Amino acid sequence: MAVFRILSLDGGGLLGAFSAAVLASLEKQTGRNIVEHFDLITGTSTGGLIAIGLGMGASAQQVLDFYRKDGAKIFPKTGRVGGWVRTLGNIFSAKFQPGPLRQAVGEVVSEQPLRQARTRLAIPSYQAVPGRVYIFKTPHNAKGRGIQDADIPAIDVALATSAAPTYFPAHRVEQGGILKGVFIDGGVWANCPAMVGIVEAIAFCGQRLEDLDMLSISTTNFPFAIGHQAKGWGYWGWAPKIIETFMFGQIQAAVAEAGSLLGKDRFLRIDFDTVPHAYTIDDPSGVEELISLGIAEAEKIGNRRPILERFLNGLTIERFTECTAQTG
């Protein structure tokens, strides 16, 4: 069987500028479209925005411009007084309004239904009621969820996967005027969706493990430790650390599991270690530096060579055959 190539994109808010810069640089270096060289793209939160943008036909450069042009609109900064007001208000409601995010995402993915994607997509989210993990999919398999998701506008999927708790309100998805569900950020369970991609390829795309090859791109990383003082922490001690703890733990597990299953020759991880908290998911001031870091990683010979040999090698994919009837 031919190699089945998977692109996996981590979550991380504006840190996604790093991932988008890696991909835009690779497209520029090779003159080849990312979407034409991956049989499956999976992305969570900001990675989901990138995945959907690419899948619906945007170039990696167009997606990168989204971070550069719209980051400050989506995550507006305030003065010291305004910052305290927002912090207090965040106790009772979301920190940011979804309007600017929807408008900016709409310029990249428009209102096209998911079925029009150019390659298979698997986008993690979480459905608030009944309380379950949820993966939005293109209709590439009759036993998967893609049939029922096929007509959902791509912009709704993008907003569902990126509705980060405390940052944005949960996103309501409707079909034909009927509520399909209320969704929050897929990062609550799959901030690194590498294993989502592997399971999707084997269980729903009919692939063998030995035929998979994955490119996994992070949103940067930094040395993380909880500290011995955690032994006596209560709510207030854990509050500043709990989200990072969950995110780092899940990412570390997913990367280790995917790497163990695929091996170093079939799992390529693009990452960069920064100074702790040098960049944050809602600070637009770091976007340009993140872009520079992403371009630098894409240009490293140790990354560029295997990417050109294994992924952007000119062997383009065949678009999936759309399934229209549910089976089994």
Side-chain angles (χ1 to χ4, degrees):
M1 294 180 67
V3 174
F4 189 89
R5 292 166 292 183
I6 305 170
L7 175 61
S8 173
L9 301 165
D10 287 13
L14 289 178
L15 303 180
F18 171 85
S19 316
V22 170
L23 296 172
S25 179
L26 291 171
E27 282 196 342
K28 184 176 181 180
Q29 290 177 51
T30 62
R32 293 167 178 160
N33 294 328
I34 298 293
V35 71
E36 295 176 354
H37 288 77
F38 287 92
D39 299 277
L40 169 67
I41 303 179
T42 181
T44 300
S45 192
T46 198
L49 299 182
I50 299 172
I52 295 167
L54 297 174
M56 304 311 292
S59 68
Q61 184 61 51
Q62 287 175 300
V63 177
L64 176 58
D65 290 342
F66 157 83
Y67 291 93
R68 179 175 273 146
K69 180 171 68 76
D70 297 308
K73 300 176 186 176
I74 297 167
F75 297 99
K77 304 299 288 184
T78 59
R80 180 174 297 180
V81 174
W84 278 108
V85 171
R86 173 171 286 168
T87 299
L88 291 173
N90 194 210
I91 297 174
F92 303 102
S93 62
K95 188 175 183 179
F96 301 102
Q97 294 302 309
L101 176 62
R102 184 181 186 95
Q103 181 177 353
V105 172
E107 293 176 2
V108 178
V109 304
S110 73
E111 297 284 345
Q112 299 176 85
L114 206 56
R115 68 167 70 249
Q116 292 185 10
R118 299 186 182 187
T119 191
R120 300 170 186 84
L121 297 175
I123 311 297
S125 186
Y126 191 86
Q127 191 172 15
V129 178
R132 60 172 179 169
V133 298
Y134 196 98
I135 303 173
F136 289 95
K137 303 180 185 183
T138 46
H140 54 260
N141 181 275
K143 294 182 180 180
R145 187 172 284 136
I147 304 296
Q148 64 196 65
D149 291 343
D151 292 317
I152 297 176
I155 188 171
D156 277 318
V157 179
L159 294 172
T161 189
S162 58
T166 75
Y167 287 93
F168 293 104
H171 184 66
R172 293 170 57 91
V173 175
E174 296 184 357
Q175 283 184 295
I178 300 174
L179 180 66
K180 178 180 179 65
V182 178
F183 296 88
I184 61 173
D185 198 307
V188 300
W189 68 277
N191 207 51
C192 171
M195 287 304 297
V196 172
I198 291 173
V199 172
E200 187 67 26
I202 295 173
F204 296 101
C205 299
Q207 301 299 311
R208 302 182 307 174
L209 179 64
E210 56 266 35
D211 294 322
L212 306 185
D213 200 358
M214 175 176 284
L215 174 60
S216 173
I217 304 179
S218 83
T219 52
T220 72
N221 191 18
F222 64 82
F224 174 76
I226 299 172
H228 295 298
Q229 66 270 31
K231 180 179 179 181
W233 280 351
Y235 176 82
W236 291 111
W238 273 109
K241 286 275 192 178
I242 195 68
I243 293 178
E244 285 184 350
T245 302
F246 290 156
M247 288 177 59
F248 274 89
Q250 190 280 323
I251 290 172
Q252 291 165 2
V255 169
E257 290 164 351
S260 296
L261 287 172
L262 298 178
K264 64 180 181 179
D265 293 330
R266 292 185 293 118
F267 180 75
L268 179 61
R269 175 78 169 168
I270 305 297
D271 202 351
F272 184 85
D273 284 339
T274 71
V275 174
H277 302 109
Y279 311 102
T280 58
I281 65 175
D282 63 344
D283 183 4
S285 67
V287 165
E288 289 300 328
E289 289 186 15
L290 287 162
I291 291 172
S292 295
L293 293 175
I295 293 172
E297 287 301 307
E299 292 177 343
K300 283 184 178 178
I301 190 66
N303 292 330
R304 184 166 50 117
R305 180 177 291 168
I307 290 174
L308 297 184
E309 291 175 352
R310 292 158 49 186
F311 302 103
L312 300 184
N313 52 15
L315 299 176
T316 57
I317 64 165
E318 291 186 9
R319 187 182 182 274
F320 64 90
T321 299
E322 182 177 329
C323 297
T324 58
Q326 196 85 29
T327 65

